[in-house]
Amino acid sequence: MDSNIAIIDAFGSASHVAALLGVSAQAVSNMKSRDSIPPEYWARLVAEAEARGIAGVTLEALAALAARRRKPASDAAAAADRIERQSAAF
């Protein structure tokens, strides 16, 4: 799966995923809008995906998606550091 949105959609409706995770449908909607699934739900999603034959939902896939989301922030921090060093040179 190439996004957390795709993972959630693979299970069906937000209310269905909410019931699986024990959260509100609004919480699942928020996960979709942020394209982010909190790690505390990963094991449950992986187990449910295996039980339902949904391919591509693994801890590794979820971790890779989370790492991909964090990368831009570190890129932005690196860019800010470069700008700060350049400003200090003047």
Side-chain angles (χ1 to χ4, degrees):
M1 304 261 172
D2 63 348
S3 71
N4 288 295
I5 295 167
I7 289 173
I8 292 168
D9 287 345
F11 284 93
S13 69
S15 59
H16 181 74
V17 176
L20 292 174
L21 299 179
V23 299
S24 68
Q26 182 61 49
V28 175
S29 178
N30 291 342
M31 291 178 205
K32 284 183 71 169
S33 68
R34 290 189 308 264
D35 192 20
S36 177
I37 300 171
E40 61 262 32
Y41 302 117
W42 293 1
R44 179 72 177 172
L45 283 175
V46 170
E48 292 293 340
E50 287 177 7
R52 289 169 169 66
I54 299 171
V57 181
T58 64
L59 290 175
E60 292 81 8
L62 289 161
L65 289 169
R68 189 171 73 188
R69 282 186 46 84
R70 285 191 298 268
K71 189 175 188 304
S74 61
D75 288 349
D81 287 343
R82 281 193 303 274
I83 292 168
E84 187 175 319
R85 285 192 303 267
Q86 290 172 349
S87 297
F90 288 104

Coordinates of all heavy atoms in Angstrom, one line a residue:
M1 N 0.9 -1.2 0.0 CA 0.0 0.0 0.0 C 0.9 1.2 0.0 O 1.9 1.3 0.7 CB -0.9 0.0 1.2 CG -1.8 -1.2 1.4 SD -3.4 -0.9 0.8 CE -4.1 -2.5 0.9
D2 N 0.5 2.2 -0.7 CA 1.3 3.4 -0.9 C 0.9 4.6 0.0 O 1.6 5.6 -0.1 CB 1.4 3.9 -2.4 CG 0.0 4.3 -2.9 OD1 -1.0 4.0 -2.2 OD2 -0.1 4.9 -4.0
S3 N -0.1 4.4 0.8 CA -0.5 5.5 1.7 C -1.3 4.9 2.9 O -1.9 3.8 2.7 CB -1.3 6.6 1.0 OG -2.6 6.1 0.7
N4 N -1.4 5.7 3.9 CA -2.2 5.3 5.0 C -3.7 5.3 4.6 O -4.5 4.6 5.1 CB -2.0 6.1 6.3 CG -0.6 5.8 6.9 OD1 -0.4 4.7 7.4 ND2 0.3 6.8 6.8
I5 N -4.0 6.3 3.8 CA -5.4 6.4 3.3 C -5.8 5.1 2.5 O -6.9 4.5 2.8 CB -5.5 7.6 2.3 CG1 -5.3 8.9 3.1 CG2 -6.9 7.6 1.6 CD1 -5.1 10.1 2.2
A6 N -4.9 4.6 1.7 CA -5.2 3.3 1.0 C -5.3 2.1 2.0 O -6.2 1.3 1.8 CB -4.0 3.0 0.0
I7 N -4.6 2.1 3.0 CA -4.7 1.1 4.0 C -6.1 1.1 4.7 O -6.8 0.1 4.8 CB -3.6 1.2 5.1 CG1 -2.2 0.7 4.4 CG2 -3.9 0.3 6.3 CD1 -1.0 0.9 5.3
I8 N -6.5 2.3 5.1 CA -7.8 2.5 5.7 C -8.9 2.1 4.8 O -9.8 1.4 5.1 CB -8.0 3.9 6.3 CG1 -7.0 4.2 7.4 CG2 -9.4 4.2 6.7 CD1 -6.9 5.6 7.9
D9 N -8.8 2.6 3.5 CA -9.8 2.3 2.5 C -9.9 0.8 2.2 O -11.0 0.3 1.9 CB -9.5 3.1 1.2 CG -9.8 4.6 1.4 OD1 -10.5 5.0 2.3 OD2 -9.4 5.3 0.5
A10 N -8.8 0.1 2.3 CA -8.8 -1.4 2.1 C -9.8 -2.1 3.0 O -10.3 -3.2 2.7 CB -7.4 -1.9 2.1
F11 N -10.0 -1.5 4.2 CA -10.8 -2.2 5.2 C -12.3 -1.8 5.0 O -13.2 -2.4 5.7 CB -10.4 -1.8 6.6 CG -9.2 -2.5 7.1 CD1 -7.9 -1.9 6.9 CD2 -9.2 -3.8 7.7 CE1 -6.8 -2.6 7.3 CE2 -8.1 -4.4 8.1 CZ -6.9 -3.8 7.9
G12 N -12.6 -0.8 4.2 CA -14.0 -0.4 4.0 C -14.2 1.0 4.6 O -13.4 1.8 4.5
S13 N -15.4 1.2 5.1 CA -15.8 2.5 5.6 C -15.1 2.9 6.9 O -14.5 2.0 7.6 CB -17.3 2.4 5.9 OG -17.6 1.6 7.0
A14 N -15.1 4.2 7.2 CA -14.5 4.7 8.4 C -15.1 4.1 9.6 O -14.4 3.8 10.6 CB -14.6 6.2 8.4
S15 N -16.4 3.9 9.6 CA -17.1 3.3 10.7 C -16.7 1.9 11.0 O -16.5 1.4 12.1 CB -18.6 3.4 10.6 OG -19.1 2.7 9.5
H16 N -16.4 1.1 9.9 CA -15.9 -0.2 10.0 C -14.5 -0.3 10.6 O -14.2 -1.0 11.6 CB -15.9 -1.0 8.7 CG -15.5 -2.4 8.7 ND1 -16.3 -3.4 9.3 CD2 -14.3 -3.0 8.4 CE1 -15.6 -4.5 9.2 NE2 -14.4 -4.3 8.7
V17 N -13.6 0.6 10.1 CA -12.3 0.7 10.7 C -12.3 1.1 12.1 O -11.6 0.6 13.0 CB -11.4 1.6 9.8 CG1 -10.0 1.8 10.4 CG2 -11.3 1.0 8.4
A18 N -13.2 2.1 12.4 CA -13.4 2.6 13.8 C -13.7 1.4 14.7 O -13.2 1.3 15.8 CB -14.4 3.7 13.8
A19 N -14.7 0.6 14.3 CA -15.1 -0.5 15.1 C -13.9 -1.5 15.4 O -13.7 -2.0 16.5 CB -16.2 -1.3 14.5
L20 N -13.1 -1.7 14.3 CA -11.9 -2.6 14.5 C -10.9 -2.1 15.5 O -10.3 -2.8 16.2 CB -11.2 -2.8 13.1 CG -12.0 -3.6 12.0 CD1 -11.2 -3.5 10.7 CD2 -12.2 -5.0 12.4
L21 N -10.8 -0.8 15.5 CA -9.7 -0.1 16.3 C -10.3 0.3 17.7 O -9.5 0.7 18.5 CB -9.1 1.0 15.6 CG -8.4 0.7 14.3 CD1 -7.9 2.0 13.7 CD2 -7.3 -0.3 14.5
G22 N -11.6 0.3 17.8 CA -12.2 0.8 19.1 C -12.1 2.3 19.2 O -11.9 2.8 20.3
V23 N -12.2 3.0 18.1 CA -12.2 4.5 18.1 C -13.4 5.0 17.4 O -14.2 4.2 16.8 CB -10.9 5.1 17.5 CG1 -9.7 4.6 18.2 CG2 -10.8 4.7 16.0
S24 N -13.6 6.3 17.4 CA -14.8 6.9 16.7 C -14.5 6.9 15.2 O -13.3 6.9 14.8 CB -15.1 8.3 17.2 OG -14.0 9.2 16.9
A25 N -15.6 7.0 14.4 CA -15.4 7.2 13.0 C -14.7 8.5 12.7 O -13.9 8.6 11.7 CB -16.8 7.1 12.3
Q26 N -14.9 9.5 13.5 CA -14.2 10.8 13.3 C -12.7 10.7 13.5 O -12.0 11.3 12.8 CB -14.8 11.8 14.3 CG -14.1 13.2 14.2 CD -14.4 13.8 12.8 OE1 -15.5 13.8 12.3 NE2 -13.4 14.3 12.1
A27 N -12.3 9.8 14.5 CA -10.9 9.6 14.6 C -10.3 9.0 13.4 O -9.2 9.3 13.0 CB -10.6 8.7 15.9
V28 N -11.0 8.0 12.8 CA -10.5 7.4 11.5 C -10.5 8.4 10.4 O -9.5 8.5 9.6 CB -11.3 6.2 11.2 CG1 -10.9 5.6 9.8 CG2 -11.2 5.1 12.2
S29 N -11.5 9.3 10.3 CA -11.5 10.3 9.4 C -10.3 11.3 9.5 O -9.7 11.7 8.5 CB -12.9 11.1 9.5 OG -12.9 12.2 8.6
N30 N -10.0 11.6 10.8 CA -8.8 12.4 11.0 C -7.5 11.7 10.6 O -6.6 12.4 10.0 CB -8.7 12.8 12.5 CG -9.8 13.7 13.0 OD1 -10.5 14.4 12.2 ND2 -10.1 13.7 14.3
M31 N -7.5 10.4 10.8 CA -6.3 9.7 10.3 C -6.2 9.8 8.8 O -5.1 10.0 8.3 CB -6.4 8.2 10.7 CG -6.3 7.9 12.2 SD -6.5 6.1 12.5 CE -7.0 6.1 14.2
K32 N -7.3 9.7 8.1 CA -7.3 9.8 6.7 C -6.9 11.2 6.2 O -6.1 11.3 5.3 CB -8.6 9.4 6.1 CG -8.9 7.9 6.1 CD -10.2 7.6 5.4 CE -10.2 7.8 3.9 NZ -11.3 7.3 3.2
S33 N -7.4 12.2 6.9 CA -7.1 13.5 6.4 C -5.6 13.9 6.7 O -5.0 14.7 5.9 CB -8.0 14.6 7.1 OG -7.7 14.6 8.5
R34 N -5.0 13.3 7.7 CA -3.6 13.5 8.0 C -2.7 12.5 7.2 O -1.5 12.6 7.3 CB -3.3 13.4 9.5 CG -3.9 14.5 10.3 CD -3.4 14.5 11.7 NE -3.6 13.2 12.4 CZ -4.7 12.9 13.1 NH1 -5.6 13.8 13.4 NH2 -4.8 11.7 13.6
D35 N -3.3 11.5 6.6 CA -2.6 10.3 6.0 C -1.6 9.8 7.0 O -0.5 9.6 6.7 CB -1.9 10.8 4.7 CG -1.5 9.6 3.9 OD1 -1.9 8.5 4.1 OD2 -0.6 9.8 3.0
S36 N -2.1 9.5 8.2 CA -1.3 9.0 9.3 C -2.1 8.1 10.2 O -3.2 8.5 10.6 CB -0.7 10.2 10.1 OG 0.0 9.8 11.1
I37 N -1.5 7.0 10.5 CA -2.1 6.0 11.5 C -1.2 5.9 12.7 O 0.0 5.6 12.5 CB -2.3 4.6 10.8 CG1 -3.3 4.7 9.6 CG2 -2.9 3.7 11.9 CD1 -3.3 3.5 8.8
P38 N -1.7 6.3 13.8 CA -0.8 6.2 15.0 C -0.3 4.8 15.3 O -1.1 3.8 15.1 CB -1.7 6.7 16.2 CG -2.7 7.6 15.5 CD -3.0 6.9 14.2
P39 N 0.9 4.7 15.7 CA 1.5 3.3 15.9 C 0.8 2.4 16.8 O 0.9 1.2 16.7 CB 2.9 3.6 16.4 CG 3.2 5.0 16.0 CD 1.9 5.7 15.9
E40 N 0.0 2.9 17.8 CA -0.7 2.1 18.7 C -1.8 1.2 18.0 O -2.2 0.2 18.6 CB -1.3 2.9 19.9 CG -2.3 3.9 19.5 CD -1.7 5.3 19.4 OE1 -0.5 5.5 19.1 OE2 -2.5 6.2 19.7
Y41 N -2.1 1.5 16.8 CA -3.1 0.8 16.0 C -2.5 -0.2 15.0 O -3.2 -1.0 14.4 CB -4.1 1.7 15.3 CG -4.8 2.7 16.3 CD1 -4.6 4.0 16.2 CD2 -5.6 2.2 17.3 CE1 -5.2 4.9 17.1 CE2 -6.2 3.0 18.2 CZ -6.0 4.4 18.1 OH -6.6 5.2 19.0
W42 N -1.2 -0.1 14.8 CA -0.6 -0.9 13.7 C -0.8 -2.4 13.9 O -1.2 -3.1 12.9 CB 0.9 -0.6 13.6 CG 1.2 0.8 13.2 CD1 0.4 1.8 12.8 CD2 2.5 1.3 13.0 NE1 1.0 2.9 12.5 CE2 2.4 2.7 12.6 CE3 3.8 0.8 13.1 CZ2 3.5 3.5 12.3 CZ3 4.9 1.7 12.9 CH2 4.7 3.0 12.4
A43 N -0.5 -2.9 15.1 CA -0.6 -4.4 15.3 C -2.0 -4.9 15.0 O -2.2 -5.9 14.4 CB -0.1 -4.7 16.7
R44 N -3.0 -4.1 15.5 CA -4.4 -4.5 15.3 C -4.7 -4.5 13.8 O -5.4 -5.5 13.3 CB -5.3 -3.6 16.1 CG -6.7 -3.9 15.9 CD -7.1 -5.1 16.6 NE -8.6 -5.3 16.5 CZ -9.2 -6.3 16.9 NH1 -8.5 -7.3 17.5 NH2 -10.5 -6.4 16.8
L45 N -4.3 -3.5 13.1 CA -4.6 -3.4 11.6 C -3.9 -4.6 10.9 O -4.5 -5.2 10.0 CB -4.1 -2.1 11.1 CG -5.0 -0.9 11.3 CD1 -4.4 0.4 10.8 CD2 -6.4 -1.1 10.7
V46 N -2.6 -4.9 11.2 CA -1.9 -6.0 10.6 C -2.7 -7.3 10.8 O -2.9 -8.1 9.9 CB -0.5 -6.0 11.0 CG1 0.2 -7.3 10.6 CG2 0.3 -4.8 10.5
A47 N -3.0 -7.5 12.1 CA -3.7 -8.8 12.4 C -5.1 -8.9 11.7 O -5.4 -9.9 11.1 CB -4.0 -8.9 13.9
E48 N -5.8 -7.8 11.6 CA -7.1 -7.8 10.9 C -6.9 -7.9 9.4 O -7.7 -8.6 8.8 CB -7.9 -6.5 11.2 CG -8.3 -6.3 12.6 CD -9.4 -7.4 13.0 OE1 -10.1 -7.9 12.1 OE2 -9.6 -7.6 14.2
A49 N -5.9 -7.3 8.9 CA -5.6 -7.5 7.4 C -5.3 -8.9 7.1 O -5.8 -9.5 6.1 CB -4.4 -6.6 7.0
E50 N -4.5 -9.6 7.9 CA -4.1 -11.0 7.7 C -5.4 -11.8 7.8 O -5.6 -12.7 7.0 CB -3.1 -11.5 8.8 CG -1.7 -10.9 8.5 CD -0.7 -11.4 9.6 OE1 -1.1 -12.2 10.5 OE2 0.4 -10.8 9.6
A51 N -6.3 -11.6 8.8 CA -7.5 -12.3 8.9 C -8.4 -12.2 7.8 O -9.2 -13.1 7.4 CB -8.2 -11.9 10.2
R52 N -8.4 -11.0 7.1 CA -9.3 -10.7 6.0 C -8.7 -10.9 4.6 O -9.3 -10.6 3.6 CB -9.8 -9.3 6.1 CG -10.8 -9.1 7.3 CD -11.1 -7.7 7.6 NE -12.2 -7.5 8.5 CZ -12.2 -7.8 9.8 NH1 -11.1 -8.4 10.3 NH2 -13.2 -7.6 10.6
G53 N -7.4 -11.3 4.6 CA -6.7 -11.5 3.3 C -6.4 -10.2 2.6 O -6.3 -10.2 1.4
I54 N -6.2 -9.1 3.3 CA -5.9 -7.8 2.7 C -4.3 -7.8 2.7 O -3.7 -7.7 3.7 CB -6.4 -6.6 3.6 CG1 -7.9 -6.7 3.6 CG2 -6.0 -5.3 3.0 CD1 -8.6 -5.8 4.6
A55 N -3.8 -7.8 1.4 CA -2.4 -7.8 1.2 C -1.8 -6.4 1.4 O -2.5 -5.4 1.2 CB -2.1 -8.3 -0.2
G56 N -0.5 -6.3 1.8 CA 0.2 -5.1 1.8 C 0.1 -4.3 3.1 O 0.7 -3.2 3.3
V57 N -0.6 -4.8 4.1 CA -0.7 -4.2 5.4 C 0.2 -4.9 6.4 O -0.2 -6.0 6.9 CB -2.2 -4.1 5.9 CG1 -2.2 -3.4 7.3 CG2 -3.1 -3.5 4.9
T58 N 1.4 -4.4 6.5 CA 2.4 -5.0 7.4 C 3.0 -4.0 8.3 O 2.9 -2.7 8.1 CB 3.6 -5.6 6.6 OG1 4.2 -4.6 5.9 CG2 3.1 -6.6 5.6
L59 N 3.6 -4.4 9.4 CA 4.3 -3.4 10.3 C 5.4 -2.7 9.5 O 5.6 -1.5 9.7 CB 4.9 -4.2 11.5 CG 3.9 -4.7 12.5 CD1 4.7 -5.5 13.6 CD2 3.1 -3.6 13.1
E60 N 6.1 -3.4 8.6 CA 7.1 -2.7 7.8 C 6.5 -1.7 6.9 O 7.1 -0.6 6.8 CB 7.9 -3.8 7.0 CG 8.7 -4.8 7.8 CD 7.9 -5.9 8.4 OE1 6.7 -6.1 8.1 OE2 8.4 -6.6 9.2
A61 N 5.4 -1.9 6.3 CA 4.8 -1.0 5.4 C 4.3 0.3 6.2 O 4.5 1.4 5.8 CB 3.6 -1.6 4.7
L62 N 3.7 0.0 7.3 CA 3.3 1.1 8.2 C 4.4 2.0 8.7 O 4.4 3.2 8.7 CB 2.4 0.6 9.4 CG 1.0 0.1 9.0 CD1 0.5 -0.8 10.0 CD2 0.1 1.2 8.7
A63 N 5.5 1.3 9.1 CA 6.7 2.0 9.5 C 7.3 2.8 8.4 O 7.8 4.0 8.6 CB 7.7 1.0 10.1
A64 N 7.4 2.3 7.2 CA 7.9 3.0 6.0 C 7.1 4.2 5.7 O 7.6 5.3 5.4 CB 8.0 2.1 4.8
L65 N 5.8 4.1 5.8 CA 4.9 5.3 5.6 C 5.1 6.3 6.6 O 5.2 7.5 6.3 CB 3.4 4.8 5.5 CG 3.0 4.0 4.3 CD1 1.6 3.5 4.5 CD2 3.0 4.9 3.1
A66 N 5.3 5.9 7.9 CA 5.5 6.9 8.9 C 6.9 7.6 8.7 O 7.0 8.8 8.9 CB 5.5 6.2 10.3
A67 N 7.9 6.8 8.3 CA 9.2 7.4 8.1 C 9.2 8.4 6.9 O 9.8 9.4 7.0 CB 10.2 6.3 7.8
R68 N 8.4 8.0 5.9 CA 8.3 8.9 4.8 C 7.6 10.2 5.2 O 8.0 11.3 4.7 CB 7.4 8.2 3.7 CG 7.4 9.0 2.4 CD 6.8 8.2 1.3 NE 5.4 8.1 1.5 CZ 4.5 7.4 0.8 NH1 5.0 6.6 -0.1 NH2 3.3 7.4 1.0
R69 N 6.7 10.2 6.1 CA 6.1 11.4 6.6 C 7.0 12.3 7.4 O 6.9 13.5 7.4 CB 4.8 11.1 7.5 CG 3.6 10.7 6.7 CD 2.4 10.5 7.6 NE 2.2 11.6 8.5 CZ 1.6 12.7 8.3 NH1 1.1 13.0 7.1 NH2 1.4 13.6 9.2
R70 N 7.9 11.6 8.1 CA 8.9 12.4 8.9 C 10.0 13.0 8.1 O 10.6 14.0 8.5 CB 9.5 11.5 10.0 CG 8.5 11.2 11.1 CD 9.2 10.5 12.3 NE 9.8 9.2 11.9 CZ 9.2 8.1 12.0 NH1 7.9 8.0 12.5 NH2 9.7 7.0 11.7
K71 N 10.3 12.4 7.0 CA 11.5 12.9 6.2 C 11.4 14.4 5.8 O 12.3 15.1 5.9 CB 11.7 12.0 4.9 CG 12.9 12.3 4.2 CD 13.1 11.3 3.1 CE 14.4 11.5 2.4 NZ 14.8 12.7 1.9
P72 N 10.2 14.9 5.3 CA 10.2 16.3 4.9 C 10.5 17.2 6.1 O 11.1 18.2 5.9 CB 8.7 16.5 4.4 CG 8.3 15.1 4.0 CD 9.0 14.2 4.9
A73 N 10.1 16.9 7.3 CA 10.4 17.7 8.4 C 11.9 17.8 8.6 O 12.5 18.8 8.9 CB 9.7 17.2 9.7
S74 N 12.6 16.7 8.5 CA 14.1 16.7 8.7 C 14.7 17.4 7.5 O 15.7 18.1 7.7 CB 14.6 15.3 8.8 OG 14.4 14.5 7.7
D75 N 14.2 17.3 6.3 CA 14.7 18.1 5.2 C 14.5 19.6 5.4 O 15.4 20.4 5.1 CB 14.0 17.7 3.9 CG 14.4 16.4 3.4 OD1 15.3 15.8 3.9 OD2 13.7 15.9 2.4
A76 N 13.4 20.0 6.0 CA 13.1 21.4 6.3 C 14.1 21.9 7.4 O 14.6 23.0 7.3 CB 11.7 21.6 6.8
A77 N 14.4 21.0 8.4 CA 15.3 21.4 9.4 C 16.7 21.6 8.9 O 17.4 22.5 9.2 CB 15.3 20.3 10.5
A78 N 17.1 20.7 7.9 CA 18.4 20.8 7.3 C 18.5 22.1 6.5 O 19.5 22.8 6.5 CB 18.7 19.6 6.4
A79 N 17.4 22.4 5.8 CA 17.4 23.7 5.0 C 17.5 24.9 5.9 O 18.2 25.8 5.6 CB 16.1 23.7 4.2
A80 N 16.8 24.8 7.1 CA 16.8 26.0 8.0 C 18.3 26.1 8.6 O 18.7 27.2 8.8 CB 15.8 25.7 9.1
D81 N 18.9 25.0 8.9 CA 20.3 25.0 9.4 C 21.2 25.7 8.3 O 22.1 26.5 8.7 CB 20.8 23.6 9.7 CG 20.2 23.1 11.0 OD1 19.6 23.9 11.8 OD2 20.3 21.9 11.2
R82 N 21.1 25.3 7.1 CA 21.9 25.9 6.0 C 21.7 27.4 5.9 O 22.6 28.2 5.8 CB 21.6 25.2 4.7 CG 22.2 23.9 4.5 CD 22.2 23.4 3.0 NE 20.8 23.4 2.5 CZ 20.0 22.3 2.6 NH1 20.4 21.3 3.3 NH2 18.8 22.4 2.1
I83 N 20.4 27.8 6.0 CA 20.1 29.3 5.9 C 20.7 30.0 7.1 O 21.3 31.1 6.9 CB 18.6 29.5 5.8 CG1 18.1 29.0 4.5 CG2 18.2 30.9 6.0 CD1 16.6 28.9 4.4
E84 N 20.6 29.4 8.3 CA 21.2 30.0 9.5 C 22.7 30.2 9.3 O 23.2 31.2 9.7 CB 20.8 29.2 10.7 CG 21.2 29.8 12.0 CD 20.7 29.0 13.2 OE1 19.6 28.5 13.1 OE2 21.5 29.0 14.2
R85 N 23.4 29.1 8.8 CA 24.8 29.2 8.7 C 25.2 30.2 7.6 O 26.2 31.0 7.8 CB 25.4 27.8 8.3 CG 25.4 26.8 9.4 CD 26.3 25.6 9.1 NE 25.8 24.9 7.9 CZ 24.9 23.9 7.9 NH1 24.5 23.5 9.0 NH2 24.5 23.4 6.7
Q86 N 24.4 30.3 6.6 CA 24.7 31.3 5.5 C 24.5 32.7 6.1 O 25.3 33.6 5.8 CB 23.8 31.1 4.3 CG 24.2 29.9 3.5 CD 23.2 29.6 2.4 OE1 22.1 30.1 2.4 NE2 23.5 28.6 1.6
S87 N 23.5 32.9 6.9 CA 23.2 34.2 7.5 C 24.3 34.6 8.4 O 24.7 35.8 8.5 CB 21.8 34.2 8.2 OG 20.8 34.0 7.3
A88 N 24.8 33.7 9.2 CA 25.9 33.9 10.1 C 27.2 34.3 9.4 O 28.0 35.0 10.0 CB 26.1 32.7 11.0
A89 N 27.3 33.9 8.2 CA 28.6 34.2 7.5 C 28.6 35.7 7.1 O 29.7 36.2 6.8 CB 28.7 33.3 6.2
F90 N 27.5 36.4 7.0 CA 27.5 37.8 6.6 C 27.8 38.7 7.7 O 27.8 39.1 8.6 CB 26.1 38.2 6.0 CG 25.9 37.5 4.7 CD1 25.1 36.4 4.5 CD2 26.5 38.0 3.6 CE1 24.8 35.9 3.3 CE2 26.3 37.4 2.3 CZ 25.5 36.4 2.2

